[in-house]
Every structure is written in structure tokens, then in C-alpha cells.
Amino acid sequence: MSGLGYEPVIGLEIHVQLATRTKMFCGCALGFGEPINTRTCPVCLGHPGALPTLNAQAVRLAIVTGLALGSTIAERSTFHRKNYFYPDLPKAYQISQYDEPIAIGGEFLVLGEEGVTKVGITRAHLEEDAAKLVHLGAGGRRADADESVVDFNRGGTPLLEIVTEPDIDSARDAAEFLRQLRLTLRHLGVSDCNMEEGSMRVDANVSVRPRGESELGTKAEVKNMNSFKSLHDALLYEIVRQVEEIENGGSIVQETRHWDAGAKRTSALRSKEEAHDYRYFPEPDMVPFEFSEEYVERIEKKLPELPDAK
């Protein structure tokens, strides 16, 4: 494989569990490693008639992050229902944000040996985390499990999703971006960002195109990367896979792929969903919320000096 005639295009979706005491829409306390299904209530279990109540601290931490990323904080923001069925989603929808996110635009400066690289930020939005599937049996992996159970302790945890522009062109730069973003978020007190505990998770959208062209290729979304090394290795594998597929006369399918760190390869999970597949509509149990300039300015004045400035 030559591969020299192609260049990768990478965008990241980073999911950050926010450092709040309670869940996003209920009063259940947060904690890692607690006995299964001991941090639950009718709201986060999706019982009929149980209504969500917004966590104000989660909103404040989202604004802190948006300001640090140079984003525009929306004057008006709304929650939507993202509809899909999976065992870890008791309501069969996730309360998330769609066309009115809390933070829009911005950029993140990555400091490297060759200078400063700018990575554009598309948006940052709030949502609730899903529950967790626990696979019981050899190795704790789905493929080898004797049975799987759903632990709803994580369900409803405040989550901030940060979406980048497709501005990253190497696996090394993607890992370095994530490393420096994690440092910034920890410095701000937004999250502990413990990747081994799942409080910071990353998905990567990656495609390749002939070098020098501006049109984007067909992308694959790679999941299950829980460390900087996993992100780096998964992207390296996926870039080589896509180039080889094209050079051998094939075509890239838009799909979601799973990174197997043991086998050092990605494998197809499912076709990649589009926004219309989720049938987004405004969350009827929550009103839109608005921010005054004074409120945002008070938060901005309390921001510490950021690591890149230091």
C-alpha cells in the first residue's frame, strides 16, 4: 500500500461527564463503582409521569467550558428528545440538544513541537448519559459474556458533548488535542476526565481523500476508545484500512465501527445514523431557557488562567 496520495480528515466527538453532585434531571447522587442499580429513582428509570428538573450546576459548567473554548453562548437554548431503542435507555429516548445547543463555534489551540494548531469547535451541548451494560463472564466482553445486565446508576449523569470541526489530519494530532483538552477541562474543574472510569469518552469521525482535494470523503465513526493510545492506534488502523479499500477498487461505507484494542483492529457495528433517524423533537416536559449577558459575564470573570496561556 502506498497511501502517499491520500490524507486523513478527522473530527472528534468528546463526551464529558460533568462534576456535579447529582444527575442531570433528578436528585440521584452520582458515584463510580457503587453496587449495581443503587443510584436510581423514577425519573432516571423512565417511569411514566416522572418529570425532569434541570441541574443548574451542569448548565453553569457547560457555559464555563463554552467560554474557555471561545464559543458563543446562546441567548436561548432548548432540550430535545433523541429517539432510539437500546437496553441502556429506559425511556427509549435521550434528553439531548439539537438545533439550539448551549455553546456554538469556537476554537481550541493545540500546542505542539511545530507551533500552535487551531482546531475549530462546532458546538457543545448538554445531554443525559445512558445507563451501562455490564457483561458477565469471561473477560467482561460482550462477545464472550454469559449474560448482560443493565446498570442504571450511570443513566442520567450530566454529559457535555464537544464536537470539533474536521480540522485534524493525523492520529498523533488527534491524541495530542484530546490530551490538552483533558488538561484544560480538569483545570477548569468541569470534570475529573478519568477515561478509565468513562467520565471522558471520545468517538472519531475519520475519512480519507486524495491529497490536496477539498471535498470530504465518506466517513466512518469509530467508537470504544478509552485512552489516548487507543485513539491513536484506532485512527492509524482506520486510515490504513480506508486507503487500502480505495486502492483495491472498493468504496468506503458510512458506518459506525468498534475498536478492539486486543485485536488492534476496527470492525463494523452498524450503518451510521443521520439526524432524521433519531426523530428529534423539542422536549415537551421542559421549557426553553435563556441567559442574560450579566449571568454569562459573571461566570466569565471567574474563569482561571487557562493552561495554553500559562
Side-chain angles (χ1 to χ4, degrees), residues 249-263:
S251 59
I252 305 303
V253 176
Q254 183 166 316
E255 62 187 358
T256 299
R257 298 182 67 85
H258 174 85
W259 168 246
D260 187 329

Side-chain angles (χ1 to χ4, degrees), residues 4 58 109 115 125 208-209 212 229 276 285 293 295 307:
L4 297 177
L109 304 181
H125 66 263
V208 297
R209 64 186 176 190
K229 185 178 187 327
H276 63 263
D285 292 331
E293 289 185 17
Y295 175 69

Side-chain angles (χ1 to χ4, degrees), residues 26-98:
C26 68
C28 289
L30 295 174
F32 180 79
E34 299 294 329
I36 288 177
N37 293 322
T38 57
R39 300 290 181 97
T40 62
C41 74
V43 175
C44 56
L45 291 176
H47 289 188
L51 298 177
T53 303
L54 183 58
N55 186 326
Q57 176 67 354
V59 174
R60 191 188 72 82
L61 293 176
I63 293 175
V64 166
T65 305
L67 291 171
L69 295 174
S71 303
T72 298
I73 304 302
E75 295 180 0
R76 180 184 189 273
S77 191
T78 58
F79 281 101
H80 282 69
R81 289 187 180 182
K82 180 180 181 181
N83 296 271
Y84 65 96
F85 177 78
Y86 203 66
D88 61 10
L89 205 63
K91 301 187 294 289
Y93 62 84
Q94 176 191 39
I95 302 179
S96 182
Q97 294 191 290
Y98 179 47

